[in-house]
Amino acid sequence: MRFLLVNNHCISDPTAGVTQSLRTIMEWLAEAGHTCHILTTARFESPVTFTIAEHLAEHGVAALRHGDVVQYAVKGVPVTLLMTRHNDERHPHRGESRQYRALLDALLNDFAPDQLIACNGHPMILDAMARARTRGITTAFAVRGFGYYEPRYFKDVDHAFTCSRFLTDLYREKVGLESTPIEPPIDWASVVAPVESRAFVTFVNPSRHKGLLLFARLADMLGSRRPDIPILVVQSGHSGGSLNAIPGVDFSRYPQIMAAPPVPTPADYFALTRILVAPSVWEEPFGRVAAEAMINAIPALVSDRGSLPHVVGGDFSEGGGGRVLPIPAWMTIKTTKLPSEPEVQPWYAAVCALWDDEALYRAVAARAHVIAQERYSERVSRHKHVEYFTSLRRGGRPIAGPIGRGSFRTG
């Protein structure tokens, strides 16, 4: 089969998790013997310290000029990149949109894909699906986040796929969408870490929606009561200094609480991690960091919101591979108040139990690793994705009727 991926984020962007997962899918399809091509732009998902020219030079692309169309490859998959300059998601540039459409039409004519895979609701992407469908090309749309709550996003979609059962259920409830949940690919080479130096309780990305305030209370409790438990806070590019900015808690009193700057790969901090805490307040569409911990046989303590309980396979007490712990119901992404010590006590107790009881720790770690092998190994994930995309055919109806009425499963 012939697959065309259309994307408005640079497909080789190292900062974009969703884009990386789509790139991996295309690489797997190509390695399975299918013919693949990617149409993308010069937009990066997050602020970067390098230029697009420097980035493309790493892929063998020489001098660039604005307006250029760049041809290169990622792991053998050909890429056509439009050198966009106006990368505002909310206000597409008309001239660049016309350039993108012209490149798309040329690929639809010359490459002649059997299937077009698309992601996000950018007008250029919606237009690409419409143009493909008028030519009888099957369209598959990746739903990786929230906000696509209007049927118009799926008007030209034959099949929709999500990154979790949680997200599939949410969209069925909100918009009547029937979709197929497939956990996104995880690059084990960038995740698996050595075990010799694992000594910390680790919290990644100290931001409010990731549970910063709950973690701050937990760290204060551990700092004052259990100085023998070292804590590592791994910052992201946007979260530097967040922990020290919380009023009412002085973390300088606790030398066992350490902060690390952003690192190139998850393996860099998992090499230091004995227990992961992921107290997300918002509803995680997937929860990659918990899955990555399980790959390393590291127990993950996760909140009871979003997809996190499913990612770890449920609480260990019920046969799962982690601990699923409550977030106070009043806490939201807009909350500015620290939870009380009694409200965070279940988290404190879970950390201490795993730290003090070696048999319990080994049991949870072993169960986590088994679930990771069953769900997130490359062999399993590759098979799921290749089988899914090669099974899709024209004529799907992901939204079969008005919102609130029954619909049919596709994919």
Side-chain angles (χ1 to χ4, degrees):
M1 292 180 65
R2 302 175 72 82
F3 294 91
L4 173 63
L5 171 66
V6 293
N7 193 39
N8 71 308
H9 294 164
C10 178
I11 195 63
S12 46
D13 179 359
T15 71
V18 171
T19 298
Q20 290 180 43
S21 73
L22 293 171
R23 184 178 71 238
T24 299
I25 291 169
M26 295 299 283
E27 292 166 1
W28 285 349
L29 288 167
E31 290 167 3
H34 302 283
T35 305
C36 300
H37 199 104
I38 299 169
L39 174 61
T40 189
T41 73
R43 180 178 185 269
F44 286 87
E45 187 170 291
S46 303
V48 293
T49 58
F50 50 83
T51 67
I52 182 65
E54 291 169 337
H55 173 70
L56 292 174
E58 297 178 358
H59 293 272
V61 179
L64 297 171
R65 299 182 306 277
H66 172 62
D68 278 354
V69 175
V70 178
Q71 305 287 345
Y72 66 108
V74 288
K75 290 192 176 179
V77 179
V79 175
T80 298
L81 180 144
L82 174 63
M83 282 294 295
T84 49
R85 184 163 55 93
H86 303 274
N87 290 313
D88 189 332
E89 186 92 3
R90 295 164 298 177
H91 304 288
H93 187 268
R94 290 184 179 179
E96 291 178 348
S97 295
R98 285 194 296 269
Q99 287 179 284
Y100 192 87
R101 185 182 302 120
L103 291 171
L104 172 73
D105 285 343
L107 284 167
L108 294 181
N109 287 331
D110 301 334
F111 180 66
D114 301 296
Q115 186 177 133
L116 181 139
I117 302 171
C119 183
N120 90 41
H122 190 282
M124 292 193 309
I125 303 304
L126 299 182
D127 178 64
M129 289 192 293
R131 299 174 84 81
R133 217 179 189 201
T134 60
R135 298 169 182 247
I137 297 167
T138 304
T139 56
F141 187 62
V143 181
R144 289 290 197 258
F146 305 109
Y148 303 103
Y149 302 143
E150 299 175 30
R152 67 182 178 88
Y153 288 112
F154 306 98
K155 176 176 177 290
D156 295 297
V157 174
D158 286 308
H159 305 277
F161 61 103
T162 71
C163 56
S164 65
R165 170 59 61 185
F166 165 76
L167 212 55
T168 282
D169 292 344
L170 181 143
Y171 273 93
R172 180 186 296 112
E173 177 183 343
K174 284 189 172 291
V175 75
L177 178 73
E178 287 297 331
S179 59
T180 300
I182 314 177
E183 291 93 348
I186 296 176
D187 178 11
W188 282 45
S190 67
V191 170
V192 176
V195 301
E196 294 80 10
S197 301
R198 295 184 181 178
F200 290 86
V201 173
T202 298
F203 175 49
V204 180
N205 188 0
S207 52
R208 192 163 294 172
H209 70 290
K210 293 291 187 180
L212 172 63
L213 296 177
L214 187 144
F215 174 79
R217 178 64 76 194
L218 172 63
D220 189 39
M221 293 167 68
L222 290 168
S224 60
R225 303 179 194 178
R226 293 295 304 265
D228 59 311
I229 301 179
I231 297 171
L232 179 66
V233 180
V234 181
Q235 299 171 0
S236 72
H238 303 284
S239 64
S242 297
L243 202 61
N244 289 325
I246 297 173
V249 182
D250 181 11
F251 290 102
S252 65
R253 296 183 297 158
Y254 307 128
Q256 71 273 28
I257 299 179
M258 305 177 190
V263 294
T265 68
D268 294 309
Y269 55 76
F270 283 125
L272 304 174
T273 299
R274 181 169 173 80
I275 299 170
L276 176 82
V277 292
S280 290
V281 173
W282 84 310
E283 295 183 323
E284 296 276 2
F286 176 53
R288 178 180 293 268
V289 71
E292 292 171 342
M294 296 168 68
I295 288 169
N296 281 287
I298 294 171
L301 279 58
V302 303
S303 74
D304 57 359
R305 296 190 180 180
S307 188
L308 283 169
H310 178 76
V311 167
V312 300
D315 193 85
F316 179 72
S317 64
E318 300 173 349
R323 294 302 318 276
V324 180
L325 300 165
I327 297 286
W330 56 266
M331 291 193 75
T332 71
I333 59 174
K334 297 181 179 179
T335 296
T336 59
K337 183 179 72 171
L338 287 170
S340 66
E341 289 193 2
E343 288 172 315
V344 182
Q345 181 61 30
W347 291 81
Y348 174 83
V351 170
C352 293
L354 285 168
W355 197 268
D356 296 335
D357 188 336
E358 184 65 23
L360 174 63
Y361 180 91
R362 291 184 179 277
V364 178
R367 181 64 184 143
H369 195 246
V370 167
I371 292 175
Q373 291 280 359
E374 292 173 346
R375 291 187 179 179
Y376 310 124
S377 72
E378 180 176 322
R379 177 186 60 81
V380 171
S381 187
R382 181 189 291 260
H383 175 75
K384 284 182 180 179
H385 283 89
V386 172
E387 182 179 54
Y388 172 74
F389 288 104
T390 55
S391 72
L392 302 183
R393 298 294 181 266
R394 290 174 51 193
R397 299 182 65 200
I399 297 181
I403 295 175
R405 296 184 60 183
S407 51
F408 302 99
R409 186 179 189 281
T410 66

